[in-house]
Amino acid sequence: KAGVTQTPRYLIKTRGQQVTLSCSPISGHRSVSWYQQTPGQGLQFLFEYFSETQRNKGNFPGRFSGRQFSNSRSEMNVSTLELGDSALYLCASSLSGHRNEKLFFGSGTQLSVL
Amino acid sequence: TQLLEQSPQFLSIQEGENLTVYCNSSSVFSSLQWYRQEPGEGPVLLVTVVTGGEVKKLKRLTFQFGDARKDSSLHITAAQPGDTGLYLCAGASGSARQLTFGSGTQLTVLP
């Protein structure tokens, strides 16, 4: 069974640009969550999608957005990039998103904003 | 805002030694998970504890959830170089489907 796949693996952008990251969950998983990981702040929750609906959102500005498609694949978009957006962006999937369910993380997309 | 504090932040020990990592909060969590993350990879779930006072063992790893469900600990016996990694605790509360992660403990086990 294939794991959670995130593309691209690495990305370099400049300030003011926008970026789209992709996440393909494990087959059969309908919940996809996104986290930002930085050395200073650790892992912080961005948002969670289930059946194409955003169910939960973390404390990030509106420049961070996401969506989920009917096949459960998800994308997140960051507009007007800032230097502080440099981070490892992790996607995680689970069957239904219940708080005690096992989360399976992808290897992440390392975003560098210059 | 719920916070989870982990200690120590860094730990470097010799192979065969024992160690304990702590995860503390002033908030109550309905469950707590422990993850291990290796460089270039996402976190991998080790265990989920849901009941106050619960103790779970996974080979040389022992996980404990505090009676008040505000703290947890991870104890590793006879550490091995393969245990090297970033250990993260993460708490869930209420019906929230988002996890609050601790700041992590970077463990290095030297051969």
Side-chain angles (χ1 to χ4, degrees):
Chain A
K1 200 174 191 181
V4 177
T5 304
Q6 291 188 246
T7 57
R9 192 77 174 84
Y10 301 94
L11 207 47
I12 300 175
K13 292 286 188 180
T14 56
R15 278 181 300 173
Q17 288 186 310
Q18 73 164 20
V19 67
T20 300
L21 312 181
S22 179
C23 172
S24 293
I26 291 173
S27 178
H29 285 193
R30 296 171 64 190
S31 170
V32 174
S33 299
W34 288 88
Y35 288 82
Q36 181 197 65
Q37 185 174 29
T38 59
Q41 299 297 319
L43 271 125
Q44 293 185 290
F45 174 79
L46 282 157
F47 26 66
E48 186 243 357
Y49 286 87
F50 180 82
S51 291
E52 302 178 65
T53 300
Q54 186 182 89
R55 289 198 298 194
N56 216 4
K57 189 177 190 304
N59 190 26
F60 277 82
R63 300 185 296 106
F64 292 81
S65 63
R67 59 178 176 168
Q68 186 181 35
F69 302 95
S70 58
N71 62 357
S72 294
R73 190 177 71 85
S74 177
E75 289 181 347
M76 70 162 278
N77 184 274
V78 187
S79 63
T80 319
L81 284 166
E82 300 177 1
L83 295 179
D85 296 334
S86 295
L88 179 66
Y89 290 87
L90 292 161
C91 163
S93 75
S94 66
L95 281 169
S96 67
H98 185 273
R99 63 175 184 267
N100 292 342
E101 265 184 357
K102 183 172 183 176
L103 270 184
F104 293 83
F105 281 86
S107 298
T109 293
Q110 183 67 56
L111 172 65
S112 296
V113 182
L114 306 178
Chain B
T1 304
Q2 296 179 311
L3 293 173
L4 272 171
E5 294 185 2
Q6 278 188 246
S7 62
Q9 188 176 357
F10 298 97
L11 193 53
S12 182
I13 61 172
Q14 293 293 135
E15 182 176 1
E17 292 183 353
N18 302 331
L19 67 113
T20 302
V21 176
Y22 300 92
C23 179
N24 296 293
S25 177
S26 58
S27 303
V28 175
F29 290 98
S30 56
S31 66
L32 202 132
Q33 298 180 335
W34 283 91
Y35 292 81
R36 186 174 79 190
Q37 184 178 20
E38 298 188 24
E41 300 296 329
V44 175
L45 181 67
L46 297 173
V47 77
T48 300
V49 285
V50 298
T51 307
E54 182 176 3
V55 177
K56 278 192 175 179
K57 291 191 175 184
L58 187 67
K59 295 183 181 178
R60 295 176 294 100
L61 278 61
T62 302
F63 304 87
Q64 187 164 7
F65 200 13
D67 290 340
R69 289 185 289 138
K70 291 182 180 182
D71 57 270
S72 181
S73 64
L74 157 61
H75 182 78
I76 301 179
T77 303
Q80 299 175 1
D83 295 327
T84 293
L86 179 66
Y87 288 81
L88 297 155
C89 63
S93 59
S95 62
R97 296 173 181 84
Q98 66 186 75
L99 293 177
T100 299
F101 277 85
S103 50
T105 295
Q106 182 62 55
L107 171 66
T108 303
V109 182
L110 303 169

